[in-house]
């Protein structure tokens, strides 16, 4: 059989249900012949974002796969792979390559050479008989260890060559656990702590460790926060929840982090980023993560564990229960009352913005009404870069795992649209929403047509303030002289022109009815875009 067919058959054996891509790549046609649904996007980066979401919302149990053309296709794709690398997302990338006689010769773009810094594993296949082994290595890497992209480049003449008969066994999923002695030391420190805080990252999602996380928090009577990537790993309507940590945070989170005597990070990297919560100086940090290269990378760790988040939490539970004689110590009431009081103060401060009745609309009113109109537990929502991220992340309260796709180690505009589409592909039973601004739609908006054409009925919520408002403070002269932050468009009409449902909303009392109309359209199978005309808001819930 041809190499392209062999690759498609291996994808089928690995459980791949759809291949996202952009032609020309012979793997796409071969996948269709194997009854793998092929989804063609309008530009490569969005397709990679879709593959990214498939992996995220399935805890990596289903792997997103993307295929693209050699040359311009691989050049255009770099940002999407870099985004997945920065946010630790396991995807398989299958680019074409120049014919072997031209391979790696300047100026021909080599995926193998150029993607090595944004992939966990990169390989170039130059012999057709090596195809099965290369695919086995790729899927073994993507399923195990730290989740990150893997790439296998296939020169176009290799894809056309014959591959000898082969047997293929799907790659295994393997887990590693922490050192028992280190577990015992950390358990002792957590029990001894007077004001511990648990900081959960997306490693909890990949390990599906939501239950042991909750059990440990309740046993220790310890408040829990999450990174943006880990948001929804702990139910935010739980009395011990502090919400998530991003660039903007809640008052209760800021208070408890600064008052903590031990901060226990589980399934997180503690990477320093402008788009995550900063750990206060001088705190005792306990760090449990899958990747040892994260230990002491950015934050010094007094105690450290390396291993799968579920195995780590389960081992800690045994040790902590033993030390506490199987039951909490009676701190819960005091801790939860303190959280509730701070939350009440914080929400009281923000309630005028969250319920504001002015025009242009308050973006906070739009997001508040959205959260109180949809079924949050059965909704998967994601933000875009900039203001939408910082406006929604502190206030949206997910109650079920994998219902919020948070991101932000790198912040490419337009990421949220592909994430919402990929989430809907993987979880068609959920209402899938992306929240973005007028800057983000300028980057990837044409792929709303992909949602229409491919029958992916998402709800796209656009906050249109006709400006890059978050840049106003730092681009005063450029704005005054050259209107550099001014952007505009009638995006509801744009959505309708592409075959979807579009509605522009300008009045506060129309927010909820419009949301209900748009949700109804998605249930009928039509992608919907709601364009809310908002003020140029630059206020965020931030603390020095």
């Amino acid at each position: 059989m041809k190499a392209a067919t062999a690759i498609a058959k291996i994808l089928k054996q690995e459980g791949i249900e759809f291949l996202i891509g952009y032609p020309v790549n012979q793997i796409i046609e071969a996948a269709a012949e194997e009854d793998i649904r092929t989804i063609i996007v309008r530009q490569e980066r969005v397709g990679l974002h879709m593959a990214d979401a498939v992996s995220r919302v399935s805890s990596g149990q289903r792997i997103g796969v993307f295929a693209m053309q050699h040359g311009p296709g691989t050049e255009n794709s770099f940002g999407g792979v870099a985004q997945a690398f920065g946010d630790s997302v396991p995807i398989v990338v299958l680019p074409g390559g120049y014919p072997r006689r031209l391979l790696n010769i300047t100026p021909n773009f080599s995926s193998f050479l150029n993607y090595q810094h944004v992939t966990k594993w990169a390989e170039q296949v130059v012999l057709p008989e090596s195809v099965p082994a290369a695919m086995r290595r790729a899927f073994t890497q993507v399923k195990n260890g730290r989740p990150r992209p893997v790439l296998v480049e296939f020169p176009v003449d290799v894809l056309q060559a014959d591959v000898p008969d082969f047997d293929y066994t799907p790659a295994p999923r393997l887990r590693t656990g922490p050192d028992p002695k280190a577990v015992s030391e950390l358990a002792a420190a957590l029990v001894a702590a007077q004001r511990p805080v648990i900081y959960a990252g997306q490693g909890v999602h990949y390990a599906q460790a939501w239950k042991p996380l909750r059990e440990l928090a309740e046993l220790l009577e310890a408040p829990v926060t999450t990174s943006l990537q880990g948001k929804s790993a702990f139910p935010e309507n739980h009395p011990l929840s502090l919400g998530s940590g991003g660039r903007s945070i809640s008052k209760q989170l800021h208070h408890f982090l600064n008052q903590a005597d031990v901060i226990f990070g589980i399934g997180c990297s503690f990477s320093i980023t402008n788009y995550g919560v900063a750990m206060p100086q001088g705190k005792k940090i306990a760090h449990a993560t899958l990747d040892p290269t994260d230990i002491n990378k950015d934050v010094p760790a007094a105690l450290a564990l390396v291993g799968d988040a579920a195995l780590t939490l389960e081992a800690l539970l045994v040790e902590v229960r033993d030390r506490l004689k199987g039951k909490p110590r009676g701190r819960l009431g005091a801790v939860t009352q303190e959280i509730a009081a701070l939350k009440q103060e914080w929400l009281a401060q923000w309630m005028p913005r969250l319920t504001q009745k002015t025009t242009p609309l308050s973006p906070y009113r739009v997001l508040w009404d959205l959260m109180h109109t949809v079924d949050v537990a059965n909704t998967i929502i994601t933000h875009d870069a900039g203001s939408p991220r910082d406006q929604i992340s502190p206030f949206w309260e997910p109650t079920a795992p994998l219902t919020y796709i948070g991101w932000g180690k790198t912040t490419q505009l337009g990421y949220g649209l592909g994430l919402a589409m990929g989430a809907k592909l993987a979880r068609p039973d959920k209402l899938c929403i992306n929240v973005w601004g007028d800057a983000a739609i300028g980057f990837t908006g044409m792929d709303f047509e992909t949602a229409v054409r491919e029958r992916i009925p998402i709800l796209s919520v656009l906050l249109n303030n006709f400006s890059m408002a978050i840049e106003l403070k730092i681009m005063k002269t450029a704005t005054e002289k050259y209107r550099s932050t001014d952007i505009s468009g009638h995006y509801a009409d744009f959505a309708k022109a592409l075959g979807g449902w579009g509605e522009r909303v300008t009045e506060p009392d129309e927010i909820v009815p419009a949301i209900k109309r748009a949700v109804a359209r998605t249930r009928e199978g039509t992608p919907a875009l709601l364009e809310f005309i908002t003020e140029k808001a630059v206020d965020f819930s931030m603390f020095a």
Side-chain angles (χ1 to χ4, degrees):
M1 71 183 76
K2 299 300 183 185
T5 300
I7 294 164
K9 287 184 178 295
I10 290 169
L11 293 177
K12 190 79 171 180
Q13 285 186 260
E14 287 286 0
I16 303 305
E17 298 175 30
F18 27 75
L19 174 67
I20 306 164
Y22 197 85
V24 174
N25 185 312
Q26 297 163 60
I27 299 170
I28 298 173
E29 178 65 11
E33 292 171 351
E34 294 297 321
D35 297 322
I36 296 172
R37 179 182 173 186
T38 53
I39 297 170
I40 304 302
V41 292
R42 298 298 292 263
Q43 66 131 313
E44 290 85 355
R45 181 160 72 99
V46 173
L48 284 152
H49 299 163
M50 293 169 68
D52 177 323
V54 169
S55 297
R56 286 193 197 232
V57 301
S58 65
S59 296
Q61 298 302 301
R62 299 165 74 181
I63 300 296
V65 182
F66 185 81
M68 67 283 205
Q69 182 180 334
H70 68 284
T74 55
E75 293 162 9
N76 281 341
S77 299
F78 194 91
V81 179
Q83 180 79 57
F85 181 84
D87 265 9
S88 294
V89 183
I91 58 174
V92 171
V93 186
L94 303 175
Y98 282 90
R100 283 171 287 183
R101 63 186 175 83
L102 300 175
L103 208 57
N104 305 329
I105 297 173
T106 302
N108 299 333
F109 187 89
S110 167
S111 300
F112 167 65
L113 295 176
N114 286 291
Y115 277 75
Q116 291 194 28
H117 292 296
V118 293
T119 55
K120 178 182 180 180
W121 181 268
E123 186 170 349
Q124 188 179 69
V125 178
V126 295
L127 298 172
E129 58 266 32
S130 298
V131 165
M135 293 295 286
R136 183 192 70 237
R137 287 188 286 269
F139 272 97
T140 300
Q141 288 292 327
V142 84
K143 289 181 179 182
N144 295 288
R146 185 184 188 137
R148 271 184 167 160
V150 301
L151 178 145
V152 185
E153 181 182 31
F154 296 98
V156 292
D157 55 336
V158 170
L159 289 173
Q160 296 169 347
D162 290 322
V163 173
D165 290 341
F166 63 92
D167 291 322
Y168 184 86
T169 301
R173 296 183 186 275
L174 307 170
R175 298 193 299 166
T176 56
D179 180 347
K181 183 180 178 182
V183 170
S184 183
E185 292 173 353
L186 178 50
L190 290 174
V191 170
Q194 296 301 304
R195 292 183 66 87
V197 171
I198 299 174
Y199 177 72
Q202 69 177 340
V204 174
H205 284 316
Y206 284 122
Q208 298 182 331
W210 313 295
K211 185 173 181 286
L213 172 63
R214 181 168 177 165
E215 290 176 352
L216 182 64
E218 290 173 347
L219 186 59
L220 289 169
E221 299 154 306
V224 179
T225 183
T226 70
S227 65
L228 274 182
Q229 291 83 359
K231 192 172 173 73
S232 81
F234 191 81
E236 293 191 16
N237 59 348
H238 191 288
L240 286 169
S241 173
L242 300 173
S244 63
R247 184 169 176 263
S248 54
I249 62 175
S250 69
K251 183 175 184 177
Q252 59 270 24
L253 172 54
H254 174 73
H255 173 83
F256 270 87
L257 276 183
N258 281 280
Q259 296 297 315
D261 53 359
V262 174
I263 299 173
F264 169 44
I266 174 69
C268 66
S269 65
F270 278 127
S271 293
I272 294 175
T273 167
N274 289 334
Y275 312 104
V277 63
M279 293 298 117
Q281 295 291 319
K283 300 297 180 181
K284 184 175 184 178
I285 300 291
H287 193 180
T289 183
L290 187 61
D291 189 347
T293 63
D294 280 332
I295 302 294
N296 283 326
K297 177 173 68 72
D298 291 332
V299 177
L303 298 159
L305 301 176
V306 175
D308 172 85
L311 295 177
T312 298
L313 289 167
E314 288 161 3
L316 277 171
L317 272 169
V318 172
E319 290 279 348
V320 171
R321 280 197 187 106
D322 183 61
R323 284 170 168 76
L324 295 180
K325 311 303 181 189
K327 60 182 181 180
R329 289 165 287 190
R331 300 177 178 178
L332 185 64
V335 173
T336 57
Q337 285 172 22
E338 187 177 1
I339 294 171
L342 289 164
K343 183 176 181 180
Q344 186 176 10
E345 290 175 14
W346 173 65
L347 284 178
Q349 176 189 349
W350 277 92
M351 201 54 67
R353 297 288 281 133
L354 296 168
T355 59
Q356 194 166 319
K357 296 182 179 180
T358 54
T359 58
L361 302 170
S362 161
Y364 291 100
R365 168 70 185 268
V366 174
L367 297 172
W368 188 252
D369 281 358
L370 180 67
M371 186 173 71
H372 289 90
T373 303
V374 303
D375 179 1
V376 172
N378 288 298
T379 296
I380 298 174
I381 193 166
T382 188
H383 58 263
D384 220 285
S387 298
R389 173 198 60 230
D390 300 334
Q391 288 161 348
I392 193 173
S393 60
F395 297 103
W396 192 274
E397 290 193 344
T399 59
L402 301 173
T403 56
Y404 190 104
I405 306 177
W407 55 276
K409 296 284 179 55
T410 177
T411 56
Q412 297 173 8
L413 280 164
Y415 189 31
L417 176 65
L419 289 179
M421 289 195 287
K424 189 67 177 178
L425 283 173
R427 295 299 308 272
D429 57 314
K430 301 288 188 184
L431 171 64
C432 295
I433 305 174
N434 72 298
V435 178
W436 52 351
D438 39 5
I441 196 172
F443 275 70
T444 61
M446 276 304 299
D447 264 289
F448 187 80
E449 186 273 339
T450 300
V452 175
R453 173 172 35 86
E454 293 287 353
R455 305 170 304 284
I456 307 172
I458 61 167
L459 171 56
S460 192
V461 173
L462 178 72
L463 306 175
N464 185 3
N465 59 14
F466 298 92
S467 173
M468 292 184 284
I470 203 170
E471 311 293 351
L472 288 172
K473 292 180 180 179
I474 59 173
M475 293 178 62
K476 291 181 179 179
T477 303
T479 299
E480 290 171 2
K481 284 186 175 181
Y482 308 114
R483 298 180 60 196
S484 297
T485 59
D486 293 356
I487 48 182
S488 65
H490 197 305
Y491 301 110
D493 283 354
F494 171 77
K496 288 186 280 189
L498 295 178
W501 168 264
E503 183 174 352
R504 176 177 270 198
V505 182
T506 60
E507 299 297 324
D509 290 342
E510 279 300 308
I511 295 173
V512 171
I515 292 168
K516 290 179 178 178
R517 286 191 291 270
V519 170
R521 288 289 178 165
T522 67
R523 288 175 180 154
E524 295 168 2
T526 302
L529 186 147
L530 289 176
E531 178 187 17
F532 295 96
I533 305 305
T534 64
E535 62 182 82
K536 295 177 174 63
V538 292
D539 53 336
F540 307 108
S541 181
M542 300 171 69
F543 298 85

